[in-house]
Amino acid sequence: MTKISLAAHPFLLGFDQLERLAERAAKGAEGYPPYNIEHQGQNGFRITLAVAGFSEDDLSITLEDRQLVIRGRQAEAEDERVFLHRGIAARAFQRSFVLADGVEVVSAGLENGLLNIDLRRAVPDSIVQTIPISRK
């Protein structure tokens, strides 16, 4: 069976990375931690992750080749607590989002167990370029 690629269309020149970006985005599709994505203003976005129990030291946010990666890992508790029921998840996680060209991370903050990451899309200047035709 032949795999048909979207980037193989003759009008989509230089879009061969689009399929790879879609595959990278699909890899981070697990359900923990839950998150929201909000539209803020004309060119802003906010990603909010529910990270109750995690401190700033337990979290890391990196931007790796247009992929925003949020990782959380809690240190092992030194006290010897005995749980009769443990329903609060304390597991490590990694959540990633593929960002479009021109989208940049503005800030990140942790408040009341919610990690907020603000993004902004830079609006490119509209440039009209004339290409000279040479005689050969």
Side-chain angles (χ1 to χ4, degrees), residues 125-133:
D125 295 331
S126 178
I127 299 173
V128 176
Q129 187 178 12
T130 302
I131 311 298
I133 301 173

Side-chain angles (χ1 to χ4, degrees), residues 26-55:
K27 286 183 183 177
E30 69 175 44
Y32 180 76
Y35 66 93
N36 293 335
I37 300 177
E38 304 169 55
H39 194 252
Q40 292 190 321
Q42 187 172 353
N43 295 311
F45 303 94
R46 172 174 274 186
I47 300 172
T48 302
L49 284 87
V51 292
F54 287 86
S55 69

Side-chain angles (χ1 to χ4, degrees), residues 33-102:
Y35 66 93
N36 293 335
I37 300 177
E38 304 169 55
H39 194 252
Q40 292 190 321
Q42 187 172 353
N43 295 311
F45 303 94
R46 172 174 274 186
I47 300 172
T48 302
L49 284 87
V51 292
F54 287 86
S55 69
E56 287 102 357
D57 295 334
D58 298 332
L59 299 168
S60 72
I61 303 170
T62 57
L63 191 57
E64 304 168 4
D65 189 30
R66 294 190 343 200
Q67 186 167 359
L68 179 66
V69 180
I70 301 107
R71 293 181 179 95
R73 178 175 300 278
Q74 291 180 323
E76 293 294 322
E78 294 180 13
D79 59 347
E80 297 186 21
R81 299 185 289 178
V82 177
F83 291 95
L84 299 178
H85 172 74
R86 188 165 188 173
I88 299 173
R91 63 181 186 247
F93 69 87
Q94 176 174 318
R95 170 77 68 184
S96 59
F97 302 89
V98 178
L99 304 181
D101 283 334

